[in-house]
Amino acid sequence: MLRNDDDNLELTRRDAMKAGGAAAVALGLGGTASHLTSLGEAQSTSLEYEEVPTACWIGKMDCSATAKKVGNRVVKYEGNPEDPRTEGSLCPKGQAQIEQVYNPYRVKAPLKRTNEKGQHGEWQEISWDQAMDEIGEDLKEKLQDDPRRVVFQVGRKKSPQWQEDAWVTGTSNKYGSMEKYGHGAACSDSGYRGQELIFATHGVSETDFENCEFFIGWGHNMTQGGGAHLCQITWPKQIADARDDQGMETVAIDPQRRNSGPYTDQWLPIEPGTDMAFWLAFNSVLVREGYIDEEYLTTATNAPCLVATEGDEDGHILRTDDAQDPGEEYTWADGELVWDEDAGEAVAHEEASSPENVALEGTYEVDGVEARPAFDLYLDQISQYDPEWAAEITGIDADTIDELAMKWGEKAKIGATVEVDGIEIPYRPVGMHGYHVAQQEMGVSTTIAHYHAAMLVGAVDVVGSTRVRKAKYDGPKDYREPFRDQAFHPEKITKEPDGPSLGGSMFHPIDSTAFSQSHVSQTNPDKYNLPYEPEEMAWIVQMANPVTSAPGVETVIESMSRVDTTIVCDPWMSETADVAADYVLPAATADKLQGPTGGWDGYADIEHIRFPSMDPLWDTKPDAEIYIQLAKAVDAYEEYVADINDELGLDGTDYAYAGADETPDDPSEFLRDGLDRWAQTKGKSLEWFREGNVITNEWDVGGGNRYAYTWGMDNGYGEFNPYDAKHEFYSETLFRLGERVDELMADSKFDDPVSEFPYLQDYNAYPTWREPTMYDSPDEYDLTLFSWHQIEHKQTRTANNKLLNEIAPKSAFRLNPEDADRIGVEDGDEVVLETHDAQNDETYQVEGVVMIQDGVKPGTVGVPHHHGSWKDPESEALDEGPSINRAIPSGPGYLGLDNGQAFQVRAKVEPKGGDSE
Ligand SMILES: Nc1nc2c(c(=O)[nH]1)N[C@H]1C(S)=C(S)[C@@H](COP(=O)(O)OP(=O)(O)OC[C@H]3O[C@@H](n4cnc5c(=O)[nH]c(N)nc54)[C@H](O)[C@@H]3O)O[C@H]1N2
Ligand SMILES: Nc1nc2c(c(=O)[nH]1)N[C@H]1C(S)=C(S)[C@@H](COP(=O)(O)OP(=O)(O)OC[C@H]3O[C@@H](n4cnc5c(=O)[nH]c(N)nc54)[C@H](O)[C@@H]3O)O[C@H]1N2
Ligand code: SF4
Ligand SMILES: [Mo]
């Protein structure tokens, strides 16, 4: 069945302009006239030169920047040398934001839809007052009835305090919890879930580049990306410095070579979606060769804890009778038994006579039950996965995997220590990083497998190693707690989800908030036991464009079209706004006050504010002001203000708002006043930041900073656990969640739950390989498709940036010369790319042009993300690239146990006009 050739919704941009173009100029959309008028007025009054401190608005690390102005016109954005992460650079995107700020096709005033959803919008311009009144009435009615009827969908966000944080929290405090979803299920949340499960910390692997000597970039955009917290400039610079300063070697595991070329000593072209097999084999070599840091494993992890291998507790860690409730204690659960070789008996982990006496291997009997240290079970598990086995699956030959793992083991220098600022800390100069690559069908377990490679050699949060936390926290956060709580109180998991993300229910007890899956569920409310049909729901879409940025585009469109009321807050008529919004609220871009913002580079963090390059253009508003008004519109202003105290860190200081009465009436005054109060809690003022200053906090070693090993020393388990949380090498949490999910699914309407939801197979205490669902596609789909981010673009929010489209137009389909030859196509040829959903047998087609590259693994086709979103006619002429998310399926089979989206699918490419048409 073909889905994209339906004539109902083949959304080409030309259609869009045909449908809405004429009306658009007159309304709040498109056209240049009003813009030029306002500019002319400004210029005639003043041509003075001025500099305004601001922050890059496109990227994710908000690089501190300066807007250089002549008259009221910004002529250039430049980096701020005060920002330690950039030392004054801005990347091409940061510089090119000037084009988007002045883009005459911005949405200029609030818009209300006048036609049916599911097609290009027709709009009526309305006042902010009317928009707020109507939206407020609609939301209030639903919230009063049941707050679960309202979904707040946020995308790759910025300064969340005023909108997704205070508005959602404040409104939920008044009416009860609404559904709040992020974009992470399409970004990297499967990696976060893996890290939270093991380490209880938040993020995905990072590296102490200042001291690392050997780095594995696992599907990491080494020269163009920035991992969990950074955007682009900082890590590539740190990697280049590490190569110069300490000769750091680097390896890239990636189906394409990209331009990591000069920064990569070794490229391992891997078959997309098979990374778990690679890491399992890698770890089997570490075990085979004895590259094991026993001290780390016995003191900081549950590897020595005794797991019952028979009876009722089979698969569970055994505990002392008086052990605390493990669901309550997510950091270090007291009372988990280990075998004390000196005492010759099982004792609580923290009571063992000394770490050296804690057994990692053997079979023991505890109260008549056979039990083995978790690590002993690991030895059995991992020995099945040798490099020969993985070579077949990954396309990387066995010797290469073998040698790489041996090198990692050797270079980890197990046992070495180094003194930093007078403190002796283990020295393990091997690091790794993976981020968006975690979005694979078995992404959570794959992330865990990659962490095992660091854990086996003890290279976790010590000098030179992989880092698993922000490295400035003074203690662990509660990121594992919700999962432990469910695992040990299984009755909390039910068959009935609260909303389309299915979070907390038997479908996905662990939840990445389902960017794409929400729409699969929402279009099948009965199947997924949803409390409401989409026709009863409201969605607020803040700074997200799920129609283009989430796979399963047609499903998202169908789902969003059925929603009763959708409010999209966006500077542009995004695809999501175009087909699904009832109201579009025009956010300002770099022409707005926004903050506080900041970020860190692993060694220091900065705090600053985005001052508006100019007053908001047209009738647009800063996001914060929109949500201040929206809080009033839903009668939750009191609660909003209470939460603003919390979000801005004003609580408990002299600067906290005593109540809503104390806030200025005018939202823009409130925003200024709030930011000034925030600044005052830092001993500064808004004016101080307005002078171009930023706050920089260096992270020290010791005293609660930088290396976990130093801050955990006095955690009460000092000798036993240098970290504050016991690392779950053996994921008892996942195992127990699986038991509950199996129980509920067995008693459900699904006759064969595993075939319906393949990810149910993945609730294992140790990562366990199975073939990804995509391999069930017929053989004619002989390529594996993968996608990625380009240096010149940022998600879909730059799709209409003319400067960036000049340098990176189109999403050409990258093929290896071998495949191009076989298919019979040449560089620049027009082709049809067809993918197949092995779960439901649907196919999807997109058209594009071929780009032939040696640096693409044979048997794969690579297509960059970013393109295919809303464009005005000018950017349309520069960029006709499709959105590859039209060809990536969503839903089971392409989805992890955490409802995280996979970005790999089997595909074929044929010349346009060929047989497949
Ligand atoms: N095939 C494929 N798909 C992918 C990816 C991939 O690699 N391949 N990457 C994924 C990743 S990592 C992520 S993070 C997601 C991102 O997905 P999203 O979070 O949806 O990000 P964008 O696609 O940039 O959409 C953001 C929207 O916010 C609007 N916007 C920009 N600035 C502002 C502002 O200041 N205020 C408001 N209110 N709106 C603003 C933009 O115009 C745009 O419409 O995409 C994912 N999608
Ligand atoms: N310039 C720029 N920088 C960005 C962004 C941007 O849009 N533009 N987005 C920011 C955001 S939101 C994020 S999430 C990060 C993402 O940063 P990264 O996690 O580094 O993600 P990508 O840039 O998509 O690079 C992913 C790499 O994985 C490879 N890959 C794809 N599939 C597989 C697979 O199955 N296995 C393996 N081993 N590799 C695979 C791709 O070829 C690509 O080279 O970047 C941030 N930085
Ligand atoms: S690195 Fe990111 S935040 Fe910094 S200038 Fe570039 S796009 Fe903007
Ligand atoms: Mo992302």
Side-chain angles (χ1 to χ4, degrees):
M1 190 199 331
L2 295 178
R3 296 193 61 180
N4 279 350
D5 59 356
D6 298 356
D7 53 10
N8 63 339
L9 250 189
E10 183 58 332
L11 296 171
T12 71
R13 301 294 95 221
R14 290 189 208 296
D15 293 344
M17 295 321 294
K18 258 186 273 161
V25 181
L27 300 173
L29 172 71
T32 54
S34 60
H35 166 61
L36 289 175
T37 313
S38 62
L39 201 64
E41 280 162 12
Q43 279 179 341
S44 65
T45 53
S46 145
L47 274 179
E48 276 168 25
Y49 176 73
E50 191 196 357
E51 293 190 352
V52 179
T54 184
C56 173
W57 149 89
I58 286 185
K60 97 175 187 191
M61 61 189 259
D62 289 9
C63 293
S64 179
T66 307
K68 303 199 157 190
K69 295 176 68 176
V70 176
N72 196 29
R73 174 89 196 187
V74 178
V75 291
K76 192 168 195 306
Y77 285 99
E78 272 182 12
N80 178 0
E82 299 293 313
D83 187 335
R85 304 166 305 166
T86 64
E87 293 168 355
S89 346
L90 276 195
C91 83
K93 299 181 293 299
Q95 309 217 14
Q97 68 185 309
I98 194 167
E99 196 282 332
Q100 275 175 293
V101 176
Y102 287 114
N103 188 323
Y105 294 94
R106 278 175 51 178
V107 179
K108 301 191 180 69
L111 298 178
K112 181 178 179 179
R113 187 177 209 95
T114 56
N115 65 344
E116 289 289 302
K117 289 185 273 192
Q119 57 187 325
H120 296 297
E122 288 170 15
W123 307 97
Q124 175 194 0
E125 186 175 324
I126 58 175
S127 67
W128 279 100
D129 284 346
Q130 183 185 342
M132 288 298 157
D133 287 348
E134 292 183 16
I135 293 168
E137 284 312 307
D138 188 300
L139 292 181
K140 267 192 295 189
E141 192 206 309
K142 294 186 173 80
L143 289 164
Q144 270 155 2
D145 176 51
D146 186 341
R148 297 179 305 171
R149 290 178 60 191
V150 179
V151 173
F152 192 95
Q153 172 68 65
V154 64
R156 250 264 26 120
K157 60 195 180 188
K158 287 183 176 290
S159 301
Q161 301 87 347
W162 300 85
Q163 48 271 350
E164 50 270 27
D165 290 354
W167 191 82
V168 174
T169 307
T171 307
S172 293
N173 283 345
K174 167 139 190 176
Y175 296 98
S177 291
M178 71 175 78
E179 295 290 288
K180 182 184 177 190
Y181 304 155
H183 69 292
C187 175
S188 48
D189 266 21
S190 301
Y192 280 80
R193 299 298 90 82
Q195 175 164 321
E196 289 155 2
L197 279 164
I198 299 198
F199 301 110
T201 56
H202 196 55
V204 193
S205 53
E206 313 201 2
T207 287
D208 179 12
F209 287 118
E210 281 188 359
N211 299 291
C212 182
E213 293 171 14
F214 185 49
F215 173 70
I216 300 184
W218 168 44
H220 163 50
N221 188 350
M222 216 181 296
T223 55
Q224 309 186 344
H229 310 298
L230 295 155
C231 184
Q232 193 222 325
I233 296 170
T234 308
W235 271 12
K237 186 173 174 317
Q238 287 183 356
I239 289 172
D241 286 349
R243 291 177 68 80
D244 287 349
D245 297 348
Q246 70 263 21
M248 182 177 82
E249 278 184 62
T250 57
V251 180
I253 302 171
D254 198 309
Q256 61 171 330
R257 196 165 56 217
R258 310 182 77 166
N259 62 350
S260 55
Y263 296 92
T264 311
D265 298 296
Q266 199 179 359
W267 172 42
L268 271 52
I270 193 168
E271 178 61 23
T274 66
D275 298 77
M276 193 209 288
F278 169 84
W279 287 112
L280 290 173
F282 186 98
N283 295 340
S284 81
V285 175
L286 295 175
V287 166
R288 187 192 73 205
E289 298 296 321
Y291 287 116
I292 307 293
D293 186 338
E294 295 192 3
E295 193 196 350
Y296 164 76
L297 289 176
T298 52
T299 58
T301 81
N302 70 359
C305 294
L306 291 167
V307 178
T309 51
E310 59 182 18
D312 289 351
E313 297 291 318
D314 196 1
H316 298 170
I317 288 176
L318 295 175
R319 300 184 158 75
T320 56
D321 292 338
D322 61 349
Q324 70 204 104
D325 176 352
E328 307 269 285
E329 188 40 78
Y330 55 92
T331 50
W332 177 285
D334 274 330
E336 295 183 341
L337 294 177
V338 296
W339 192 262
D340 188 322
E341 288 178 317
D342 199 36
E345 61 176 351
V347 301
H349 196 174
E350 62 282 0
E351 306 284 327
S353 51
S354 114
E356 292 89 66
N357 296 332
V358 172
L360 280 170
E361 295 180 41
T363 303
Y364 306 93
E365 205 185 285
V366 182
D367 293 336
V369 175
E370 187 187 87
R372 291 161 65 189
F375 191 70
D376 201 59
L377 298 174
Y378 186 69
L379 298 180
D380 281 1
Q381 162 85 357
I382 203 71
S383 63
Q384 333 161 42
Y385 303 122
D386 61 22
E388 282 74 26
W389 165 84
E392 290 281 304
I393 298 169
T394 60
I396 303 175
D397 64 64
D399 287 348
T400 306
I401 300 177
D402 221 282
E403 282 159 23
L404 188 70
M406 305 251 281
K407 196 166 179 182
W408 175 266
E410 200 51 45
K411 288 192 167 273
K413 300 186 166 64
I414 297 169
T417 59
V418 65
E419 214 180 87
V420 187
D421 294 357
I423 299 171
E424 197 178 352
I425 306 173
Y427 178 54
R428 303 279 180 283
V430 292
M432 54 167 75
H433 171 65
Y435 198 57
H436 180 63
V437 71
Q439 296 313 132
Q440 313 196 356
E441 190 186 355
M442 294 169 285
V444 174
S445 319
T446 303
T447 304
I448 293 177
H450 110 288
Y451 278 132
H452 280 165
M455 295 174 86
L456 287 169
V457 300
V460 178
D461 272 342
V462 292
V463 179
S465 76
T466 298
R467 296 171 137 182
V468 300
R469 64 196 184 103
K470 193 173 164 184
K472 70 169 245 184
Y473 290 155
D474 52 5
K477 305 285 171 192
D478 59 355
Y479 294 106
R480 189 163 62 200
E481 186 189 19
F483 314 145
R484 295 272 294 183
D485 186 40
Q486 289 177 318
F488 289 90
H489 303 114
E491 67 287 353
K492 293 189 178 177
I493 304 170
T494 67
K495 292 183 191 169
E496 275 80 38
D498 283 332
S501 95
L502 311 176
S505 73
M506 69 174 179
F507 297 102
H508 297 285
I510 295 186
D511 171 25
S512 292
T513 69
F515 201 51
S516 41
Q517 167 67 17
S518 290
H519 303 288
V520 177
S521 325
Q522 194 166 249
T523 45
N524 286 286
D526 292 342
K527 173 173 175 181
Y528 289 98
N529 307 336
L530 291 185
Y532 297 101
E533 308 266 328
E535 289 77 3
E536 298 163 288
M537 306 280 292
W539 278 62
I540 300 157
V541 181
Q542 162 63 18
M543 206 170 179
N545 185 16
V547 168
T548 323
S549 53
V553 167
E554 295 293 325
T555 308
V556 185
I557 294 175
E558 185 194 333
S559 158
M560 293 299 297
S561 308
R562 286 177 55 187
V563 169
D564 184 44
T565 311
T566 296
I567 299 123
V568 175
C569 179
D570 199 302
W572 280 277
M573 185 59 66
S574 67
E575 197 82 81
T576 304
D578 189 13
V579 302
D582 295 281
Y583 295 93
V584 187
L585 301 180
T589 62
D591 45 339
K592 71 179 158 217
L593 179 63
Q594 191 169 40
T597 181
W600 62 93
D601 67 357
Y603 307 96
D605 59 61
I606 76 156
E607 298 169 274
H608 61 126
I609 285 177
R610 167 180 294 104
F611 286 93
S613 309
M614 72 288 285
D615 286 339
L617 293 169
W618 303 288
D619 202 5
T620 67
K621 287 188 192 292
D623 302 64
E625 288 183 35
I626 296 175
Y627 285 86
I628 291 170
Q629 279 188 289
L630 211 51
K632 292 179 177 166
V634 297
D635 296 339
Y637 190 57
E638 194 68 52
E639 292 80 359
Y640 178 86
V641 173
D643 196 62
I644 276 289
N645 280 332
D646 186 30
E647 305 304 340
L648 297 181
L650 309 180
D651 268 337
T653 73
D654 293 345
Y655 305 101
Y657 291 103
D661 292 351
E662 212 184 283
T663 62
D665 278 347
D666 177 354
S668 81
E669 280 303 306
F670 179 20
L671 174 58
R672 268 178 194 283
D673 188 62
L675 290 178
D676 191 49
R677 289 177 186 227
W678 167 81
Q680 300 215 41
T681 63
K682 311 268 163 189
K684 313 287 182 203
S685 65
L686 195 56
E687 203 37 47
W688 184 84
F689 285 101
R690 179 68 179 73
E691 281 158 14
N693 296 308
V694 304
I695 296 180
T696 303
N697 307 302
E698 298 284 338
W699 300 352
D700 302 325
V701 173
N705 268 316
R706 193 116 144 213
Y707 297 108
Y709 229 84
T710 56
W711 56 260
M713 283 300 185
D714 56 1
N715 64 7
Y717 299 104
E719 208 186 326
F720 251 96
N721 180 20
Y723 300 82
D724 249 3
K726 191 189 284 193
H727 295 168
E728 269 196 63
F729 183 77
Y730 176 84
S731 185
E732 187 186 11
T733 304
L734 261 192
F735 181 88
R736 284 179 177 263
L737 289 172
E739 289 182 317
R740 175 62 172 169
V741 165
D742 285 349
E743 181 193 357
L744 292 176
M745 282 284 179
D747 179 40
S748 73
K749 60 189 164 199
F750 302 110
D751 293 337
D752 185 359
V754 167
S755 74
E756 191 94 38
F757 308 106
Y759 61 78
L760 294 176
Q761 300 164 81
D762 303 328
Y763 284 96
N764 304 302
Y766 286 128
T768 305
W769 175 255
R770 69 175 165 92
E771 212 164 69
T773 305
M774 66 174 163
Y775 287 118
D776 293 341
S777 285
D779 290 347
E780 65 185 281
Y781 297 92
D782 51 1
L783 302 166
T784 308
L785 178 130
F786 66 97
S787 68
W788 72 92
H789 302 173
Q790 290 181 292
I791 193 169
E792 302 87 352
H793 282 283
K794 181 67 181 60
Q795 312 300 359
T796 71
R797 70 191 57 170
T798 53
N800 62 355
N801 186 305
K802 289 164 203 59
L803 295 173
L804 296 173
N805 282 334
E806 284 283 358
I807 46 179
K810 298 195 194 312
S811 339
F813 305 157
R814 273 73 161 173
L815 283 175
N816 182 277
E818 266 176 42
D819 292 311
D821 236 27
R822 179 173 52 77
I823 297 165
V825 289
E826 292 180 3
D827 221 34
D829 278 2
E830 293 191 10
V831 291
V832 178
L833 183 152
E834 183 175 296
T835 56
H836 177 259
D837 180 335
Q839 186 69 16
N840 61 18
D841 210 25
E842 289 186 2
T843 61
Y844 310 89
Q845 292 189 334
V846 289
E847 296 180 3
V849 295
V850 165
M851 184 188 280
I852 299 179
Q853 286 189 342
D854 282 329
V856 170
K857 183 190 182 300
T860 68
V861 50
V863 186
H865 175 47
H866 313 293
H867 301 269
S869 189
W870 188 88
K871 286 181 217 78
D872 52 80
E874 289 161 43
S875 1
E876 164 90 0
L878 292 166
D879 179 344
E880 297 183 319
S883 162
I884 197 55
N885 285 328
R886 285 191 169 275
I888 303 181
S890 55
Y894 297 83
L895 174 81
L897 59 86
D898 62 320
N899 69 28
Q901 170 70 44
F903 286 88
Q904 299 82 14
V905 57
R906 296 291 282 170
K908 64 179 177 186
V909 169
E910 292 183 343
K912 194 173 164 191
D915 299 342
S916 77
E917 291 277 275

